[in-house]
mmCIF file of all heavy atoms in Angstrom:
data_model
loop_
_atom_site.group_PDB
_atom_site.id
_atom_site.type_symbol
_atom_site.label_atom_id
_atom_site.label_comp_id
_atom_site.label_asym_id
_atom_site.label_seq_id
_atom_site.Cartn_x
_atom_site.Cartn_y
_atom_site.Cartn_z
ATOM 1 N N VAL B 473 -37.987 -12.433 13.566
ATOM 2 C CA VAL B 473 -38.996 -13.470 13.363
ATOM 3 C C VAL B 473 -38.417 -14.619 12.542
ATOM 4 O O VAL B 473 -38.578 -15.791 12.858
ATOM 5 C CB VAL B 473 -40.230 -12.877 12.660
ATOM 6 C CG1 VAL B 473 -41.141 -13.979 12.144
ATOM 7 C CG2 VAL B 473 -40.995 -11.976 13.614
ATOM 8 N N ARG B 474 -37.696 -14.270 11.474
ATOM 9 C CA ARG B 474 -37.153 -15.319 10.624
ATOM 10 C C ARG B 474 -36.061 -16.106 11.326
ATOM 11 O O ARG B 474 -35.920 -17.308 11.115
ATOM 12 C CB ARG B 474 -36.602 -14.716 9.349
ATOM 13 C CG ARG B 474 -37.730 -14.164 8.513
ATOM 14 C CD ARG B 474 -37.340 -14.067 7.080
ATOM 15 N NE ARG B 474 -38.544 -14.012 6.284
ATOM 16 C CZ ARG B 474 -38.551 -13.655 5.014
ATOM 17 N NH1 ARG B 474 -37.420 -13.349 4.446
ATOM 18 N NH2 ARG B 474 -39.679 -13.636 4.359
ATOM 19 N N LEU B 475 -35.305 -15.432 12.166
ATOM 20 C CA LEU B 475 -34.269 -16.146 12.917
ATOM 21 C C LEU B 475 -34.913 -17.162 13.857
ATOM 22 O O LEU B 475 -34.408 -18.256 14.051
ATOM 23 C CB LEU B 475 -33.414 -15.162 13.716
ATOM 24 C CG LEU B 475 -32.420 -14.353 12.902
ATOM 25 C CD1 LEU B 475 -31.680 -13.396 13.801
ATOM 26 C CD2 LEU B 475 -31.432 -15.290 12.218
ATOM 27 N N GLU B 476 -36.062 -16.776 14.423
ATOM 28 C CA GLU B 476 -36.762 -17.692 15.329
ATOM 29 C C GLU B 476 -37.165 -18.968 14.607
ATOM 30 O O GLU B 476 -37.354 -19.992 15.225
ATOM 31 C CB GLU B 476 -38.015 -17.034 15.899
ATOM 32 C CG GLU B 476 -37.783 -15.735 16.625
ATOM 33 C CD GLU B 476 -37.213 -15.919 17.999
ATOM 34 O OE1 GLU B 476 -37.679 -16.787 18.714
ATOM 35 O OE2 GLU B 476 -36.272 -15.178 18.353
ATOM 36 N N GLN B 477 -37.351 -18.858 13.295
ATOM 37 C CA GLN B 477 -37.729 -20.053 12.530
ATOM 38 C C GLN B 477 -36.505 -20.725 11.939
ATOM 39 O O GLN B 477 -36.606 -21.534 11.027
ATOM 40 C CB GLN B 477 -38.651 -19.659 11.387
ATOM 41 C CG GLN B 477 -39.940 -19.042 11.838
ATOM 42 C CD GLN B 477 -40.676 -18.363 10.701
ATOM 43 O OE1 GLN B 477 -40.334 -18.531 9.540
ATOM 44 N NE2 GLN B 477 -41.674 -17.582 11.034
ATOM 45 N N PHE B 478 -35.333 -20.371 12.429
ATOM 46 C CA PHE B 478 -34.072 -20.953 11.973
ATOM 47 C C PHE B 478 -33.844 -20.719 10.501
ATOM 48 O O PHE B 478 -33.176 -21.477 9.839
ATOM 49 C CB PHE B 478 -34.044 -22.459 12.299
ATOM 50 C CG PHE B 478 -34.532 -22.759 13.671
ATOM 51 C CD1 PHE B 478 -35.739 -23.388 13.890
ATOM 52 C CD2 PHE B 478 -33.781 -22.384 14.764
ATOM 53 C CE1 PHE B 478 -36.194 -23.634 15.178
ATOM 54 C CE2 PHE B 478 -34.233 -22.636 16.052
ATOM 55 C CZ PHE B 478 -35.441 -23.252 16.262
ATOM 56 N N ASP B 479 -34.447 -19.633 9.965
ATOM 57 C CA ASP B 479 -34.312 -19.324 8.551
ATOM 58 C C ASP B 479 -33.244 -18.244 8.412
ATOM 59 O O ASP B 479 -33.540 -17.074 8.232
ATOM 60 C CB ASP B 479 -35.675 -18.834 8.021
ATOM 61 C CG ASP B 479 -35.629 -18.461 6.554
ATOM 62 O OD1 ASP B 479 -34.597 -18.745 5.918
ATOM 63 O OD2 ASP B 479 -36.613 -17.880 6.060
ATOM 64 N N TYR B 480 -31.986 -18.667 8.486
ATOM 65 C CA TYR B 480 -30.875 -17.708 8.461
ATOM 66 C C TYR B 480 -30.821 -16.970 7.146
ATOM 67 O O TYR B 480 -30.638 -15.756 7.103
ATOM 68 C CB TYR B 480 -29.551 -18.410 8.691
ATOM 69 C CG TYR B 480 -29.391 -18.906 10.084
ATOM 70 C CD1 TYR B 480 -30.014 -20.084 10.490
ATOM 71 C CD2 TYR B 480 -28.627 -18.215 11.007
ATOM 72 C CE1 TYR B 480 -29.884 -20.552 11.772
ATOM 73 C CE2 TYR B 480 -28.495 -18.671 12.295
ATOM 74 C CZ TYR B 480 -29.123 -19.829 12.676
ATOM 75 O OH TYR B 480 -28.994 -20.275 13.947
ATOM 76 N N ALA B 481 -30.951 -17.733 6.059
ATOM 77 C CA ALA B 481 -30.833 -17.101 4.747
ATOM 78 C C ALA B 481 -31.956 -16.075 4.543
ATOM 79 O O ALA B 481 -31.713 -14.979 4.050
ATOM 80 C CB ALA B 481 -30.866 -18.161 3.654
ATOM 81 N N GLY B 482 -33.179 -16.438 4.980
ATOM 82 C CA GLY B 482 -34.301 -15.508 4.841
ATOM 83 C C GLY B 482 -34.076 -14.261 5.676
ATOM 84 O O GLY B 482 -34.375 -13.148 5.247
ATOM 85 N N ALA B 483 -33.556 -14.433 6.883
ATOM 86 C CA ALA B 483 -33.275 -13.291 7.751
ATOM 87 C C ALA B 483 -32.231 -12.390 7.103
ATOM 88 O O ALA B 483 -32.379 -11.173 7.046
ATOM 89 C CB ALA B 483 -32.796 -13.769 9.117
ATOM 90 N N ALA B 484 -31.181 -13.032 6.595
ATOM 91 C CA ALA B 484 -30.115 -12.251 5.959
ATOM 92 C C ALA B 484 -30.649 -11.556 4.708
ATOM 93 O O ALA B 484 -30.213 -10.454 4.383
ATOM 94 C CB ALA B 484 -28.935 -13.153 5.613
ATOM 95 N N ALA B 485 -31.624 -12.187 4.026
ATOM 96 C CA ALA B 485 -32.210 -11.561 2.830
ATOM 97 C C ALA B 485 -32.913 -10.260 3.204
ATOM 98 O O ALA B 485 -32.745 -9.242 2.525
ATOM 99 C CB ALA B 485 -33.176 -12.512 2.133
ATOM 100 N N VAL B 486 -33.691 -10.283 4.280
ATOM 101 C CA VAL B 486 -34.360 -9.049 4.710
ATOM 102 C C VAL B 486 -33.300 -8.010 5.120
ATOM 103 O O VAL B 486 -33.389 -6.830 4.769
ATOM 104 C CB VAL B 486 -35.321 -9.308 5.887
ATOM 105 C CG1 VAL B 486 -35.939 -8.006 6.369
ATOM 106 C CG2 VAL B 486 -36.407 -10.281 5.478
ATOM 107 N N GLY B 487 -32.280 -8.471 5.838
ATOM 108 C CA GLY B 487 -31.199 -7.575 6.232
ATOM 109 C C GLY B 487 -30.539 -6.944 5.022
ATOM 110 O O GLY B 487 -30.260 -5.739 4.997
ATOM 111 N N LEU B 488 -30.323 -7.764 4.025
ATOM 112 C CA LEU B 488 -29.681 -7.281 2.804
ATOM 113 C C LEU B 488 -30.560 -6.245 2.100
ATOM 114 O O LEU B 488 -30.081 -5.213 1.643
ATOM 115 C CB LEU B 488 -29.432 -8.472 1.881
ATOM 116 C CG LEU B 488 -28.494 -8.243 0.718
ATOM 117 C CD1 LEU B 488 -27.127 -7.875 1.242
ATOM 118 C CD2 LEU B 488 -28.400 -9.496 -0.143
ATOM 119 N N ALA B 489 -31.867 -6.553 2.045
ATOM 120 C CA ALA B 489 -32.791 -5.611 1.404
ATOM 121 C C ALA B 489 -32.763 -4.268 2.127
ATOM 122 O O ALA B 489 -32.725 -3.205 1.507
ATOM 123 C CB ALA B 489 -34.207 -6.185 1.389
ATOM 124 N N MET B 490 -32.738 -4.334 3.468
ATOM 125 C CA MET B 490 -32.691 -3.086 4.237
ATOM 126 C C MET B 490 -31.425 -2.326 3.947
ATOM 127 O O MET B 490 -31.411 -1.109 3.797
ATOM 128 C CB MET B 490 -32.758 -3.390 5.738
ATOM 129 C CG MET B 490 -34.119 -3.786 6.209
ATOM 130 S SD MET B 490 -34.071 -4.059 7.967
ATOM 131 C CE MET B 490 -33.774 -2.396 8.535
ATOM 132 N N LEU B 491 -30.320 -3.059 3.938
ATOM 133 C CA LEU B 491 -29.018 -2.441 3.706
ATOM 134 C C LEU B 491 -29.003 -1.757 2.342
ATOM 135 O O LEU B 491 -28.563 -0.622 2.192
ATOM 136 C CB LEU B 491 -27.945 -3.532 3.770
ATOM 137 C CG LEU B 491 -26.543 -3.068 4.085
ATOM 138 C CD1 LEU B 491 -26.491 -2.477 5.471
ATOM 139 C CD2 LEU B 491 -25.583 -4.244 3.976
ATOM 140 N N PHE B 492 -29.510 -2.488 1.350
ATOM 141 C CA PHE B 492 -29.530 -1.980 -0.015
ATOM 142 C C PHE B 492 -30.379 -0.708 -0.098
ATOM 143 O O PHE B 492 -29.958 0.302 -0.662
ATOM 144 C CB PHE B 492 -30.060 -3.075 -0.939
ATOM 145 C CG PHE B 492 -30.194 -2.647 -2.372
ATOM 146 C CD1 PHE B 492 -29.063 -2.488 -3.160
ATOM 147 C CD2 PHE B 492 -31.437 -2.421 -2.925
ATOM 148 C CE1 PHE B 492 -29.184 -2.090 -4.467
ATOM 149 C CE2 PHE B 492 -31.560 -2.024 -4.239
ATOM 150 C CZ PHE B 492 -30.437 -1.861 -5.017
ATOM 151 N N LEU B 493 -31.575 -0.776 0.484
ATOM 152 C CA LEU B 493 -32.465 0.374 0.413
ATOM 153 C C LEU B 493 -31.890 1.569 1.162
ATOM 154 O O LEU B 493 -31.975 2.711 0.681
ATOM 155 C CB LEU B 493 -33.840 0.010 0.964
ATOM 156 C CG LEU B 493 -34.672 -0.911 0.063
ATOM 157 C CD1 LEU B 493 -35.941 -1.345 0.762
ATOM 158 C CD2 LEU B 493 -35.011 -0.205 -1.249
ATOM 159 N N SER B 494 -31.275 1.329 2.340
ATOM 160 C CA SER B 494 -30.685 2.462 3.066
ATOM 161 C C SER B 494 -29.562 3.072 2.254
ATOM 162 O O SER B 494 -29.385 4.290 2.222
ATOM 163 C CB SER B 494 -30.124 2.070 4.425
ATOM 164 O OG SER B 494 -30.764 1.013 4.959
ATOM 165 N N PHE B 495 -28.765 2.195 1.641
ATOM 166 C CA PHE B 495 -27.644 2.716 0.862
ATOM 167 C C PHE B 495 -28.167 3.562 -0.295
ATOM 168 O O PHE B 495 -27.641 4.631 -0.571
ATOM 169 C CB PHE B 495 -26.789 1.553 0.340
ATOM 170 C CG PHE B 495 -25.341 1.904 0.246
ATOM 171 C CD1 PHE B 495 -24.585 1.995 1.411
ATOM 172 C CD2 PHE B 495 -24.740 2.166 -0.964
ATOM 173 C CE1 PHE B 495 -23.238 2.347 1.345
ATOM 174 C CE2 PHE B 495 -23.409 2.509 -1.038
ATOM 175 C CZ PHE B 495 -22.657 2.604 0.117
ATOM 176 N N LEU B 496 -29.242 3.088 -0.923
ATOM 177 C CA LEU B 496 -29.866 3.822 -2.015
ATOM 178 C C LEU B 496 -30.344 5.190 -1.525
ATOM 179 O O LEU B 496 -30.116 6.216 -2.154
ATOM 180 C CB LEU B 496 -31.054 3.025 -2.543
ATOM 181 C CG LEU B 496 -31.366 3.129 -4.025
ATOM 182 C CD1 LEU B 496 -30.206 2.596 -4.830
ATOM 183 C CD2 LEU B 496 -32.644 2.373 -4.345
ATOM 184 N N LEU B 497 -31.010 5.164 -0.365
ATOM 185 C CA LEU B 497 -31.529 6.404 0.214
ATOM 186 C C LEU B 497 -30.382 7.375 0.499
ATOM 187 O O LEU B 497 -30.438 8.558 0.162
ATOM 188 C CB LEU B 497 -32.276 6.079 1.497
ATOM 189 C CG LEU B 497 -32.945 7.255 2.199
ATOM 190 C CD1 LEU B 497 -34.193 7.659 1.466
ATOM 191 C CD2 LEU B 497 -33.269 6.910 3.628
ATOM 192 N N LEU B 498 -29.302 6.848 1.109
ATOM 193 C CA LEU B 498 -28.155 7.694 1.426
ATOM 194 C C LEU B 498 -27.575 8.282 0.135
ATOM 195 O O LEU B 498 -27.206 9.449 0.088
ATOM 196 C CB LEU B 498 -27.090 6.891 2.153
ATOM 197 C CG LEU B 498 -27.422 6.459 3.569
ATOM 198 C CD1 LEU B 498 -26.256 5.734 4.206
ATOM 199 C CD2 LEU B 498 -27.805 7.660 4.403
ATOM 200 N N LEU B 499 -27.508 7.443 -0.877
ATOM 201 C CA LEU B 499 -26.926 7.889 -2.140
ATOM 202 C C LEU B 499 -27.743 9.028 -2.730
ATOM 203 O O LEU B 499 -27.209 10.066 -3.112
ATOM 204 C CB LEU B 499 -26.892 6.701 -3.121
ATOM 205 C CG LEU B 499 -25.954 6.848 -4.302
ATOM 206 C CD1 LEU B 499 -24.524 6.788 -3.813
ATOM 207 C CD2 LEU B 499 -26.222 5.762 -5.316
#
Side-chain angles (χ1 to χ4, degrees):
Chain B
V473 166
R474 292 203 160 166
L475 285 178
E476 304 283 316
Q477 299 166 12
F478 315 109
D479 179 9
Y480 290 79
V486 177
L488 194 62
M490 285 182 67
L491 203 64
F492 177 73
L493 288 173
S494 332
F495 213 74
L496 213 63
L497 183 76
L498 290 183
L499 198 70

